[in-house]
Amino acid sequence: MGVRTGLIRARLRGASEAKGRVITFLDAHCECTEGWLEPLLFEIYKNRTSVVCPVIDVINDNTFEYSLVPDMTSGGFNWNLGFQWYTASEREMDRRGGDRSLPMRTPAMAGGLLAIERSYFYEIGSYDSGMEIWGGENIEMSFRVWMCGGQVFIVTCSRVGHVFRDVSPYSWPGGVERILNRNTLRTAEVWMDSYKEFVYRSNPDIKKTNYGDVSERVALRKRLKCHSFQWYLQNIYPESWIPAKYYTLGYIKNRQTGECLDVSGKKAGDQIVMSHCSENSEGQVFAFTHRGEIANDELCLDTVKRGPVTILTCHRQGGSQQWIYDNKTSTIRHISNFCLGKPSPRDPALPSMGLCMGDMSQKWIIEGLDIDR
């Protein structure tokens, strides 16, 4: 190619040279197992709009030892669109009727290894050539395929090993953050509709990034008559940490102290704290969902009666993670009928739980609250 263009544009160049009916993309640092290709091709033969990925096994980057991974995981993402592996949903397990040999629908693909019919690759929009190097193209393609009538599978009868490295062996022109932010914003601006606010609020500095011209990608979406992002969340990925239905996304401030709930630097099991409100703190951004969760990405406020108030992985079962906001009294009441309040003198940094008295210490301002949303 003459000059370094990065993975995304190199794949576009490779695809333009391909002659076969199916294009298969693999990273260079892979080892294919016997019989890996046939299951992928069979799924495309059955349905040309299927984009298929093998189970990706792990090759140790020091010893090259090959290790099998479970075939019960699917791809997802967090608020800032970072790809994550999760245990496959019960919904998907039920769809497959317990047959683990059947391909598994995945809301998102890892992206390094996939096969797609060549004509469909171009019909659905290939890759976004405005993205740079690599990163985020897998999420963008996943949204695009699902929202525009295709489907994405992990084919459990196909396995390919991949060397996962701890350190990137090459440079990123302009820095890793700039490239990943650019690619992420191009995805959010084209495909996420109003839900793009989850990306902006979970990474406040991202708004400084120039993501280029996305008008051609917007026109592609319109031409393909693609579904909304809410449709994707409701039908393809209802388990997503981005809730399909929510009342608000923003800070939660105590009226008396003027301080905000904050999970910055916290992990599951830690207690939530109160701190000075900052519009640039992603740890102070919460979604108040229709399920009654108060969530920051995958972490939800959790308590039992008088506390303490901790943050745990959202379990979607209500109970200890179910809260009710009273718009008239400005109180946040837990399902246990105790109310969230300002810190007590004994623990000046930790919000308290107590009997609902309705005084100023238990009144809260929730940014942008829309109870009709």
Side-chain angles (χ1 to χ4, degrees), residues 244-265:
K245 294 185 178 181
Y246 62 99
Y247 296 112
T248 188
L249 181 69
Y251 60 74
I252 300 178
K253 180 194 296 187
N254 185 268
R255 284 185 179 271
Q256 189 170 79
T257 67
E259 291 187 321
C260 289
L261 297 178
D262 196 337
V263 298
S264 300

Side-chain angles (χ1 to χ4, degrees), residues 245-305:
K245 294 185 178 181
Y246 62 99
Y247 296 112
T248 188
L249 181 69
Y251 60 74
I252 300 178
K253 180 194 296 187
N254 185 268
R255 284 185 179 271
Q256 189 170 79
T257 67
E259 291 187 321
C260 289
L261 297 178
D262 196 337
V263 298
S264 300
K266 302 297 181 181
K267 61 183 183 301
D270 290 345
Q271 293 186 49
I272 194 170
V273 300
M274 303 284 295
S275 63
H276 175 73
C277 297
S278 171
E279 63 180 18
N280 291 317
S281 174
E282 61 268 29
Q284 294 181 1
V285 178
F286 297 90
F288 206 128
T289 76
H290 279 212
R291 295 188 182 99
E293 300 158 331
I294 299 176
N296 176 280
D297 211 332
E298 63 184 59
L299 298 175
C300 280
L301 267 64
D302 191 297
T303 193
V304 179
K305 295 187 177 180

Side-chain angles (χ1 to χ4, degrees), residues 51-166:
V51 179
V52 292
C53 311
V55 175
I56 305 175
D57 292 327
V58 175
I59 300 176
N60 186 284
D61 63 338
N62 292 312
T63 66
F64 291 107
E65 178 184 5
Y66 193 108
S67 301
L68 299 177
V69 302
D71 60 3
M72 304 286 283
T73 57
S74 61
F77 48 87
N78 54 20
W79 281 11
N80 59 20
L81 302 189
F83 178 83
Q84 306 276 349
W85 290 111
Y86 298 104
T87 301
S89 66
E90 290 186 17
R91 180 175 58 88
E92 181 59 13
M93 294 297 101
D94 291 343
R95 187 192 69 83
R96 297 163 78 204
D99 186 349
R100 290 169 61 179
S101 70
L102 294 178
M104 180 164 52
R105 287 164 43 126
T106 181
M109 68 177 99
L113 298 76
L114 65 105
I116 182 172
E117 188 190 67
R118 182 161 58 93
S119 60
Y120 183 64
F121 176 68
Y122 288 107
E123 179 183 312
I124 202 68
S126 64
Y127 282 114
D128 178 359
S129 62
M131 289 187 172
E132 298 182 358
I133 309 298
W134 74 268
E137 78 285 349
N138 56 320
I139 301 295
E140 191 273 345
M141 180 177 273
S142 300
F143 289 171
R144 177 162 39 89
V145 170
W146 278 120
M147 291 168 61
C148 304
Q151 49 194 348
V152 183
F153 287 110
I154 294 173
V155 181
T156 52
C157 290
S158 173
R159 286 182 174 270
V160 175
H162 181 276
V163 179
F164 290 92
R165 297 164 294 201
D166 291 332

Side-chain angles (χ1 to χ4, degrees), residues 217-235:
R217 305 303 285 181
V218 172
L220 170 73
R221 178 179 175 181
K222 184 176 181 180
R223 184 171 71 252
L224 293 176
K225 297 181 170 58
C226 304
H227 290 287
S228 68
F229 193 71
Q230 184 178 58
W231 175 91
Y232 169 84
L233 292 176
Q234 292 176 326
N235 293 275

